Amino acid sequence: MPKQDFEDLKLEIKRLREELHQKEEFLRERQYKKLQGKNVYNDQFTTEEIVRYSRQMIMPNINPHGQIALKNSKILIVGVGGLGCPAALYLASAGVGEITLIDYDEVELTNLHRQILHSESDIDIPKVESAYNSLKRINSHIKVIPLRLHANSLTIKDIITKNKYHVIVDGSDNVATRYLLNDVCVMNDIPLVSGSALQMEGQLTVYHYQGGPCYRCLFPVPPPPHAVTSCGDGGVLGAVPGTIGVLQALETIKILTNSSGVLSGRLLLFDGTNTTFRNVKLRERNLKCDVCGENPTVKTLIDYELFCGSSSHDKVINIDILKCNEQIDIIDFSTILKDNVVLDVRPKIEYQMCNLPNTVNIPFTEIEKDDVFEKLNKLFKNKLADGIKNVYVLCRRGNDSQRAVSCLKKKFSESPIIFYNVKGGLHAYSKFVDTSFPRY
Amino acid sequence: MNVEVKVLFFAKAREVAGKSCDILSVSSPISYLQLLEEIVTTYSLADIKRNIILAVNEEYCNLDTTIYLKPGDEIAVIPPLSGG
């Protein structure tokens, strides 16, 4: 199918969807007109609202006052991913009056296993737009404001000065944004419902709530960038951020309804491997804290990427540490793949997931070990005897393979073997050689 | 006096230590900084030494305290998670 046809089809689907949406609204308005106006039985809610929220409103914990509080609340959710999606879903369903969503990314196929507001037909559209559509389908009474932007000091400052939020929900995926949101919350006196997840683990707490500690009280200095694992590299099981995101919604509702029992001054550690929840009692607010202490040194928002030494997103930043003659272009590589020695240095599991034929897997972590010399010599003995001296090193994106080449070069300085890095790795292979190779 | 305590690892500490828990023999009483040093050295956590919370029996340890440990106490090593 030519590219133009794809675009035409996409446009037609979009137009039909809008038409469907309009017709559904039209029907709803006619069908439920009587339920949506004011009624003589309660002047705070429409008939439909009372029925819709009745299951939570009849509990003493929420009651009509709590429901009114939710209706009058404005919250900000930063990150509409694995945490933000379930959090937003439950907050919208519960009737939080105004929800602003911030995210810069577009929906990708790799998001769908955990980011439950997005569907297959949303791929390549902005996450905030996809989330907006999903939330409005569930609750058309509330106001959802999708903001497609990158959260940084400038953008957040602008939004915060124009709006008074009752809670900020941190569903971000990087250290810099976490410090940014913490400082914003302290400086503007807003509770921060902070969740995070990776692999099978999750963490949850509420910062800067009723005199409780902030993120900096606990973690005054950011971790070194190389010690931070992203979901893209470490992986994550969807139900784990799902669990934490849902609990973020719960804590937010408790704060908005002025309920007791908010998870402040305590850190919840969720371990999905054995389904344990641990509640660690935290320190009190640090009077010497840089931002919420008695004499704060951080009084305005700073450059958080600089402070953390890392970018405010979880994308991998590519390295370039080799010379031109130590590398091979992906197209050239694809033509010689069959008759050469190719080392794939990805972790074993990733190799099992998908691999190029005629390649050998030695994970990067093994390359650094001392016995790699014997291992490779054994592996390549026959090939070397045949006069093959070139070894091509391959990985997911072409970064670990560069590190591997540079490490192997030193270890094999006495050997006739020449190591080459395959530029751009399997991502480039999928992009330029064969799109049916899974780009993950 | 040395006591045997249970060390629980979370997030990056679990990845680096290569296990989710371990039994460690440490002296008691011990200062927070000594305990941190002992754990960091034993489990090669130097990289994240400044980004760890230690909690004894699910309670945060203040940096300037002396800790009295009993056999079987649980020490949680908690770095922050940032993914989402």
Side-chain angles (χ1 to χ4, degrees), chain A residues 96-271:
Chain A
V96 171
E98 189 178 311
I99 300 177
T100 301
L101 305 169
I102 292 184
D103 203 307
Y104 185 73
D105 291 344
E106 289 165 352
V107 178
E108 292 176 19
L109 190 55
T110 57
N111 301 147
L112 300 189
H113 82 118
R114 68 187 190 283
Q115 304 184 12
I116 51 169
L117 291 178
H118 317 306
S119 63
E120 288 174 4
S121 56
D122 294 322
I123 287 168
D124 291 338
I125 75 163
K127 284 185 183 177
V128 287
E129 192 184 318
S130 157
Y132 171 87
N133 292 333
S134 298
L135 296 176
K136 287 302 259 188
R137 266 198 295 275
I138 290 161
N139 195 344
S140 61
H141 296 289
I142 61 163
K143 195 171 170 190
V144 181
I145 303 169
L147 297 179
R148 190 193 176 192
L149 51 86
H150 204 87
N152 60 36
S153 296
L154 290 177
T155 55
I156 286 285
K157 197 176 171 186
D158 184 51
I159 295 163
I160 293 287
T161 42
K162 288 178 186 158
N163 298 278
K164 172 70 193 150
Y165 296 109
H166 298 102
V167 169
I168 294 181
V169 177
D170 186 350
S172 68
D173 57 12
N174 64 82
V175 182
T177 306
R178 292 189 180 276
Y179 279 97
L180 164 70
L181 296 180
N182 179 70
D183 292 2
V184 165
C185 284
V186 172
M187 288 168 196
N188 297 278
D189 199 17
I190 305 167
L192 176 64
V193 179
S194 170
S196 55
L198 182 71
Q199 298 172 342
M200 298 293 283
E201 275 183 90
Q203 294 181 356
L204 173 79
T205 188
V206 177
Y207 290 118
H208 190 69
Y209 181 69
Q210 294 187 348
C214 81
Y215 189 49
R216 283 190 194 246
C217 293
L218 298 173
F219 303 108
V221 290
H226 65 268
V228 179
T229 311
S230 71
C231 289
D233 282 339
V236 62
L237 186 64
V240 174
T243 303
I244 299 296
V246 169
L247 291 174
Q248 284 182 283
L250 177 64
E251 292 311 306
T252 304
I253 289 169
K254 279 174 7 198
I255 294 169
L256 297 177
T257 55
N258 204 18
S259 303
S260 59
V262 172
L263 191 75
S264 162
R266 290 181 289 148
L267 173 67
L268 180 84
L269 304 168
F270 170 56
D271 186 346

Side-chain angles (χ1 to χ4, degrees), chain A residues 42 44-71 93-95 253 257:
Chain A
N42 183 318
Q44 302 280 355
F45 298 108
T46 66
T47 304
E48 194 192 312
E49 282 174 325
I50 293 174
V51 177
R52 174 189 284 256
Y53 303 121
S54 60
R55 292 298 185 273
Q56 64 190 40
M57 222 196 299
I58 57 173
M59 294 189 305
N61 310 64
I62 301 295
N63 74 63
H65 295 292
Q67 195 62 50
I68 293 167
L70 291 179
K71 191 177 177 176
S93 308
I253 289 169
T257 55

Side-chain angles (χ1 to χ4, degrees), chain A residues 83 172-175 178 196-198 201-203 215 219 221-224 226-229 231 269 271 278-283, chain B residues 6 8-12 14-15 20 47-48 50-53 55 58-63 74 76 78-84:
Chain A
L83 299 163
S172 68
D173 57 12
N174 64 82
V175 182
R178 292 189 180 276
S196 55
L198 182 71
E201 275 183 90
Q203 294 181 356
Y215 189 49
F219 303 108
V221 290
H226 65 268
V228 179
T229 311
C231 289
L269 304 168
D271 186 346
R278 274 169 199 275
N279 232 308
V280 173
K281 188 173 179 288
L282 295 176
R283 61 166 301 148
Chain B
K6 192 174 179 186
L8 306 168
F9 302 98
F10 294 90
K12 193 73 186 178
R14 181 176 295 187
E15 185 190 320
S20 57
D47 252 6
I48 50 170
R50 298 173 74 202
N51 320 101
I52 290 174
I53 290 176
E58 305 197 343
E59 193 153 338
Y60 178 93
C61 287
N62 276 306
L63 274 59
E74 284 186 340
I78 312 164
L81 274 180
S82 54

Side-chain angles (χ1 to χ4, degrees), chain A residues 169-408:
Chain A
V169 177
D170 186 350
S172 68
D173 57 12
N174 64 82
V175 182
T177 306
R178 292 189 180 276
Y179 279 97
L180 164 70
L181 296 180
N182 179 70
D183 292 2
V184 165
C185 284
V186 172
M187 288 168 196
N188 297 278
D189 199 17
I190 305 167
L192 176 64
V193 179
S194 170
S196 55
L198 182 71
Q199 298 172 342
M200 298 293 283
E201 275 183 90
Q203 294 181 356
L204 173 79
T205 188
V206 177
Y207 290 118
H208 190 69
Y209 181 69
Q210 294 187 348
C214 81
Y215 189 49
R216 283 190 194 246
C217 293
L218 298 173
F219 303 108
V221 290
H226 65 268
V228 179
T229 311
S230 71
C231 289
D233 282 339
V236 62
L237 186 64
V240 174
T243 303
I244 299 296
V246 169
L247 291 174
Q248 284 182 283
L250 177 64
E251 292 311 306
T252 304
I253 289 169
K254 279 174 7 198
I255 294 169
L256 297 177
T257 55
N258 204 18
S259 303
S260 59
V262 172
L263 191 75
S264 162
R266 290 181 289 148
L267 173 67
L268 180 84
L269 304 168
F270 170 56
D271 186 346
T273 56
N274 48 14
T275 318
T276 48
F277 290 88
R278 274 169 199 275
N279 232 308
V280 173
K281 188 173 179 288
L282 295 176
R283 61 166 301 148
E284 292 174 350
R285 179 171 73 97
N286 180 5
L287 298 179
K288 291 178 187 158
C289 174
D290 284 342
V291 66
C292 79
E294 299 293 281
N295 298 298
T297 52
V298 182
K299 292 177 196 163
T300 52
L301 297 180
I302 58 172
D303 182 333
Y304 291 88
E305 296 194 330
L306 194 70
F307 174 64
C308 298
S310 57
S311 307
S312 54
H313 56 69
D314 74 339
K315 312 283 180 287
V316 170
I317 293 169
N318 293 324
I319 60 166
D320 190 7
I321 58 170
L322 298 175
K323 294 193 199 101
C324 289
N325 62 5
E326 295 170 317
Q327 316 210 47
I328 181 166
D329 177 81
I330 196 70
I331 305 278
D332 298 338
F333 168 74
S334 67
T335 60
I336 57 155
L337 174 62
K338 231 170 31 190
D339 312 307
N340 278 282
V341 180
V342 182
L343 262 191
D344 187 326
V345 296
R346 288 176 300 154
K348 198 175 163 194
I349 296 175
E350 291 181 34
Y351 187 80
Q352 285 169 345
M353 194 163 74
C354 50
N355 59 66
L356 295 182
N358 306 314
T359 57
V360 180
N361 181 223
I362 298 183
F364 178 61
T365 45
E366 309 274 314
I367 298 277
E368 289 174 312
K369 288 183 185 161
D370 291 338
D371 63 346
V372 71
F373 194 85
E374 288 74 45
K375 222 177 199 170
L376 283 176
N377 267 337
K378 211 167 140 191
L379 205 63
F380 301 139
K381 214 168 154 189
N382 295 336
K383 296 264 184 184
L384 286 171
D386 290 346
I388 291 177
K389 279 187 285 194
N390 295 350
V391 171
Y392 297 92
V393 184
L394 179 69
C395 70
R396 184 172 166 192
R397 299 189 184 90
N399 293 321
D400 273 351
S401 55
Q402 290 184 51
R403 296 183 182 104
V405 165
S406 130
C407 174
L408 289 166

Side-chain angles (χ1 to χ4, degrees), chain B residues 26-58:
Chain B
V26 287
S27 63
S28 175
I30 187 168
S31 78
Y32 174 90
L33 290 175
Q34 275 176 314
L35 180 63
L36 178 68
E37 196 58 47
E38 183 88 23
I39 288 172
V40 162
T41 317
T42 312
Y43 302 104
S44 317
L45 301 174
D47 252 6
I48 50 170
K49 186 181 169 183
R50 298 173 74 202
N51 320 101
I52 290 174
I53 290 176
L54 289 186
V56 175
N57 298 332
E58 305 197 343

